[in-house]
Amino acid sequence: MKDFTLAEIAKACNGEYVGDESLKNTKITSVERDSRQVKNGSLFLAIKGERVDGHDFIEKCFAQGAVCALCEKAPENATKPCIVVPSTLDAVKKIGRAYREKFDIPVIGISGSVGKTSTKEMLYAVLSQKFKTHKTQGNLNNELGVPLTLLSMPEDTEAAVIEMGISDFGEMTRLSEMVQPTICVLTIIGECHLENLGDRDGVLKAKTEMFKNARENADFILNGDDDKLSTVKTVNGKKPVFFGLDAKNDFYAKNIKNSGDGKVLATLCFDNNNIDVEIPAIGTYMVTNALAAAAAGKLLGLTDEEIANGVASYKTVGSRANVINTGKIKIIDDCYNANPTSVRASLDTLSNLDGRKVAILGDMKELGSEELKLHFDTGVYAKSKGIGTVITVGELAKELAKGADGKAFDTIEDAKPEILKTIKSGDVVLVKASHSMQFENIVEFLKQNF
């Protein structure tokens, strides 16, 4: 990482430096919250968790090579320096912001109700054709994950793609204060976290908090097919760049075709220019992701060839529209998370694939007072897309089953006999629910039995 001394860190978070004054100019080599990851030169974050208190591991981390601990209480007679703060979690945000300010590079901040991670990966694939690019790993997109992502930027980073996930008002403000994006990308304003945000207008308000902390002369790339985002005419005095499948957008697509072998073909269109691309993933929404990446690529000076090569190098991450071909059936493992907007998108993808279509769906959480109606309406949508076989798990998903004329079960174990009886060779099976439903167990069950 770039030079970052203990003195700078203490100043950034208004912390009290406790220890040998002669070590204040010691440079850290990494920031770690997990004592098992600590190495020579690390700054260890002592965080109080529900089950484990990081403060209990400070001396162990010193023995492993940590040069300092950021903590709320220093151990008695600590063997190495500590930076003491009222809240380690609040302090690491300030430290993350200070480290980000050491970089004068393109930083793409990305958010939205659906498609954050897949768009982030597409942006990374495209920008990596020209720049040494840093990206958010896994689900490190919250108020601890974002500063950790920033603090893990190597010294030679030339561009960064930072995912920001929120569930309440004010969170995006705090995240974007750290990220200070030079390009803001918003995917979709959907029905998620409605317990806190109320409705889609609330989601729009919360997501667009990002704009207030964008760098001067930042660019804004928005999904013009989204009825909420398309109403944004100017941001900080600048006209947004719109992307989407509709030809009204600055970046749009035509000739979209599912190849049948887990790829999507399309022509990306902009500025009287056409780029033919091959996306190694399923789902028409992946074309939308490619358009967002093409828009960012063009703003940053990439050639058409670099954009096409980047799109072709995209890789699916985890349980996000990951296609598993068992030899007997195709499983669309999309069980990382779910809300009505993302489930409808997955049902669209399922409906476009060859084979008998089966959807195994579960509860969608954090939908507020309209949760039952939203589940029922999602079931109706499944039926309208020709998904003839719907199996649901969970109390809320019983409403989804009603809307889809499907079969509902209380637990995964209860559903297994029906799954065994229903699935046939040649089927395409979508598996999707909120993460807490643990639908990865259904994916494993399908792989073992088919």
Side-chain angles (χ1 to χ4, degrees), residues 237-270:
K238 185 174 282 193
K239 182 181 180 296
V241 175
F242 288 105
F243 66 93
L245 302 183
D246 194 301
K248 69 180 180 182
N249 292 295
D250 301 302
F251 286 73
Y252 65 96
K254 61 184 181 181
N255 305 328
I256 300 170
K257 180 182 177 183
N258 287 279
S259 67
D261 59 351
K263 296 179 180 178
V264 182
L265 310 178
T267 303
L268 310 186
C269 308
F270 55 91

Side-chain angles (χ1 to χ4, degrees), residues 334-335 337-340 342-343 359-365 367 371 374-376 378-379 390-401 407-412 415 430-439 442:
D334 202 7
C335 60
N337 221 332
N339 59 53
S342 66
V343 173
I360 304 176
L361 305 173
D363 289 355
M364 300 177 285
K365 306 292 190 180
L367 295 181
E371 60 184 6
L374 290 167
H375 279 82
F376 182 83
T378 302
V390 175
I391 298 170
T392 72
V393 175
E395 190 63 32
L396 297 173
K398 289 177 181 178
E399 289 298 309
L400 197 158
K407 295 186 178 180
F409 298 89
D410 291 325
T411 69
I412 291 173
L430 169 66
V431 183
K432 190 166 181 65
S434 281
H435 190 61
S436 62
M437 295 299 292
Q438 300 182 331
F439 264 36
I442 293 180

Side-chain angles (χ1 to χ4, degrees), residues 100-172:
R100 184 266 180 264
E101 289 175 347
K102 290 176 174 283
F103 291 83
D104 184 17
I105 60 172
V107 176
I108 295 85
I110 179 165
S111 194
S113 302
V114 179
K116 290 187 296 293
T117 299
S118 55
T119 305
K120 177 255 296 182
E121 293 296 329
M122 184 66 79
L123 283 160
Y124 173 79
V126 169
L127 297 187
S128 293
Q129 300 297 310
K130 181 179 176 68
F131 304 107
K132 188 177 191 314
T133 307
H134 181 71
K135 67 175 179 177
T136 301
Q137 297 291 332
N139 61 349
L140 293 176
N141 64 3
N142 59 18
E143 291 192 62
L144 176 58
V146 166
L148 289 175
T149 298
L150 293 169
L151 287 161
S152 64
M153 280 198 291
E155 181 179 9
D156 58 352
T157 300
E158 297 173 329
V161 184
I162 311 296
E163 180 181 332
M164 292 179 275
I166 63 164
S167 59
D168 207 346
F169 296 109
E171 284 183 74
M172 183 61 76

